[in-house]
Amino acid sequence: MTTSSLESMSPEGKDLRLVCLVHYHEVGLKGRNRSSFERKLKENIEKRLSGISTGRVSRVSGRLLVAVESEEEAAAVAEAAASVPGVVRVSRGVRTAQRLEDVYAAALWALECCEPYETFKVDARRANTDFPIDSMQLNRVIGAWLCERLPQKTVRLREPDARLCVEMIEGSAFVYAQTSRGVGGLPVGTAGNVVCLLSAGLDSPVAAWRLMKRGATITALHFSGRPETADTSEHLVRDIIEVFRPLGGIERLCVVAFGGYQRELSDAVPPELRVIFYRRLMFAVANRVAERFRAKALATGESLGQVASQTLDNIRAVDAVATYPVLRPLIGTDKQEIIEEAQRLGTFAISSQNHEDCCTLFMPRSPETHAKLARVERISAQLPLEAWLEQILEDLEVEEFFS
Ligand code: ATP
Ligand code: MG
């Protein structure tokens, strides 16, 4: 159906405007935080829609409204808005005056958009009592009118093919029957900043996404094997960041040329403990980065027992270095689930490209799977860690994405 068919259904005097209604969870949006959450969500949606729609985003009674010009635009807006964290549903429909004959015309149009369908249900609501007919009566009168006009269709209250929603809000009627599911979560930028150790592997991009979905912004920290390896992983990390950029959640990327330090570490510590020491140094750097950018936590893509360095003993041996809470959003997630999520997000193909990860540099055949923290700490005390940290922080390559 096209806009012209909408116009043909809006006889003289009827004012039907195409809109997208963006619904968000009330959960987490209550109390004092509510208005700042709503403001952030509106801002994130406006950013996400730039280049897709010029329609204004406005607030109406616990929803956001995007005015659109055509059904094609409505479809594009709905798809983009549904991908913004904090959005639970997006509906495409029309806004009319609160007059029954306008609502009828809109309802007919909205249902026609759902073809083919056999059964339908009317779900009408008024937000307040400024409209004289209550919700129950509204359901009945609209339903009765539609039954008369659509004799070949049947009303079915449970699991209908099409659900026609009519909402009487702030002097307007919103009529829609097409609704798509949003990603849910909370608006990016409402939870504070997290330093996410971001490799070009499969897991950490998914971990970063999950944190953004819960409202965090990300300082991405990448360790490159440079100069011992090529800089391929850095390019892949940038490609991953590009996938997330439209969400507005990646604040900056920090890259550490880590290869030289890994060489020094591999000379100084027992071969089976190399990975543990690489990772302890990574965490020590992450602490400093968090301090510099006022982040509130660190995060990794670790999943319990997935590889040698992710046993509980090894996690403990590494975690001991952290001075911030370490978030591990994937700790209980299986590889297959992570792969499916990465595919949905669009990072899978990037992470699947061949690259050398710095963690695999100078790896012994059998790394320690149950490191003893006391032994690790003893060896650690012999290393010039403070001097390395100073140097790494001085050489840190920082790219800001919005300031
Ligand atoms: P990923 O797929 O995220 O690389 P992985 O399964 O390869 O994870 P590890 O290599 O043990 O597991 O890494 C565990 C976590 O450590 C990663 O999820 C990431 O958060 C961090 N990490 C590993 N390598 C790097 C790196 N080169 N730069 C930044 N962070 C890293
Ligand atoms: Mg990896």
Side-chain angles (χ1 to χ4, degrees):
M1 210 137 137
T2 61
T3 315
S4 54
S5 52
L6 171 65
E7 277 157 7
S8 71
M9 292 209 156
S10 50
E12 203 74 0
K14 289 194 177 57
D15 192 11
L16 307 188
R17 299 275 169 86
L18 282 171
V19 290
C20 284
L21 261 187
V22 180
H23 309 259
Y24 44 88
H25 264 312
E26 296 299 298
V27 188
L29 297 180
K30 294 228 152 69
R32 279 187 301 129
N33 287 335
R34 185 180 175 124
S35 64
S36 65
F37 273 67
E38 283 177 331
R39 219 175 313 121
K40 197 74 208 169
L41 182 62
K42 178 169 176 281
E43 197 182 298
N44 293 348
I45 289 173
E46 280 167 345
K47 273 197 205 133
R48 184 69 185 84
L49 295 184
S50 77
I52 294 173
S53 165
T54 51
R56 216 170 69 83
V57 182
S58 54
R59 252 193 59 201
V60 274
S61 178
R63 293 159 186 72
L64 292 171
L65 186 70
V66 189
V68 291
E69 295 293 327
S70 65
E71 287 185 54
E72 293 70 30
E73 189 184 346
V77 164
E79 192 186 338
S83 72
V84 175
V87 172
V88 279
R89 274 175 294 123
V90 185
S91 308
R92 287 180 274 160
V94 291
R95 173 183 199 157
T96 78
Q98 287 189 346
R99 275 198 309 257
L100 278 177
E101 70 263 32
D102 293 10
V103 171
Y104 294 154
L108 214 48
W109 168 83
L111 278 174
E112 202 166 315
C113 293
C114 296
E115 287 286 8
Y117 73 97
E118 302 277 320
T119 58
F120 74 97
K121 165 188 183 180
V122 179
D123 203 341
R125 231 169 296 168
R126 59 171 184 178
N128 46 43
T129 50
D130 62 358
F131 188 72
I133 307 177
D134 72 19
S135 304
M136 291 289 279
Q137 276 176 299
L138 263 176
N139 278 335
R140 266 198 300 273
V141 292
I142 299 168
W145 189 88
L146 285 170
C147 284
E148 209 168 287
R149 292 294 292 259
L150 303 169
Q152 67 284 28
K153 310 289 184 193
T154 325
V155 170
R156 186 156 153 201
L157 299 184
R158 288 175 59 146
E159 295 180 32
D161 301 331
R163 190 166 148 252
L164 178 85
C165 299
V166 177
E167 300 189 30
M168 298 292 184
I169 306 172
E170 294 180 16
S172 293
F174 295 91
V175 182
Y176 56 86
Q178 289 171 295
T179 294
S180 43
R181 203 172 148 180
V183 285
L186 296 169
V188 175
T190 53
N193 190 256
V194 175
V195 173
C196 184
L197 280 76
L198 189 66
S199 72
L202 261 173
D203 306 331
S204 41
V206 175
W209 152 252
R210 288 204 182 170
L211 291 167
M212 287 187 277
K213 194 181 146 184
R214 296 305 304 169
T217 56
I218 301 293
T219 291
L221 175 59
H222 178 65
F223 295 86
S224 162
R226 184 160 46 92
E228 298 289 334
T229 66
D231 60 1
T232 320
S233 70
E234 297 167 48
H235 294 293
L236 296 179
V237 160
R238 285 200 172 80
D239 289 348
I240 287 163
I241 284 176
E242 277 313 306
V243 172
F244 294 142
R245 279 286 288 285
L247 297 171
I250 308 278
E251 290 211 15
R252 60 187 65 81
L253 167 65
C254 304
V255 176
V256 177
F258 203 48
Y261 298 94
Q262 290 182 272
R263 176 167 288 285
E264 298 220 28
L265 273 175
S266 65
D267 288 341
V269 307
E272 73 277 11
L273 290 179
R274 280 174 191 161
V275 175
I276 305 277
F277 277 91
Y278 297 166
R279 300 183 58 71
R280 281 172 62 100
L281 184 54
M282 286 181 178
F283 273 42
V285 173
N287 287 334
R288 300 290 177 96
V289 170
E291 236 165 75
R292 187 193 284 190
F293 297 110
R294 299 208 175 85
K296 292 174 179 160
L298 314 182
T300 73
E302 288 162 307
S303 144
L304 188 59
Q306 193 188 81
V307 289
S309 64
Q310 296 174 18
T311 63
L312 281 179
D313 286 322
N314 289 1
I315 286 178
R316 179 166 179 242
V318 174
D319 213 63
V321 174
T323 51
Y324 287 82
V326 181
L327 310 178
R328 296 182 171 86
L330 305 183
I331 199 70
T333 316
D334 292 340
K335 198 74 190 181
Q336 191 52 37
E337 294 167 329
I338 297 170
I339 289 173
E340 284 163 16
E341 204 164 328
Q343 282 168 330
R344 265 199 312 277
L345 297 176
T347 56
F348 180 79
I350 304 168
S351 299
S352 306
Q353 289 176 43
N354 260 343
H355 67 277
E356 237 178 313
D357 183 69
C358 70
C359 279
T360 55
L361 260 183
F362 317 120
M363 275 293 282
R365 208 168 305 137
S366 46
E368 177 62 72
T369 49
H370 298 284
K372 302 270 178 299
L373 182 57
R375 178 175 176 229
V376 169
E377 302 272 16
R378 254 195 326 275
I379 300 167
S380 202
Q382 316 291 318
L383 299 170
L385 287 169
E386 201 47 45
W388 287 349
L389 275 175
E390 294 291 312
Q391 194 58 51
I392 289 174
L393 268 290
E394 197 181 313
D395 297 341
L396 193 69
E397 299 158 30
V398 183
E399 200 175 324
E400 291 284 345
F401 294 117
F402 40 87
S403 39

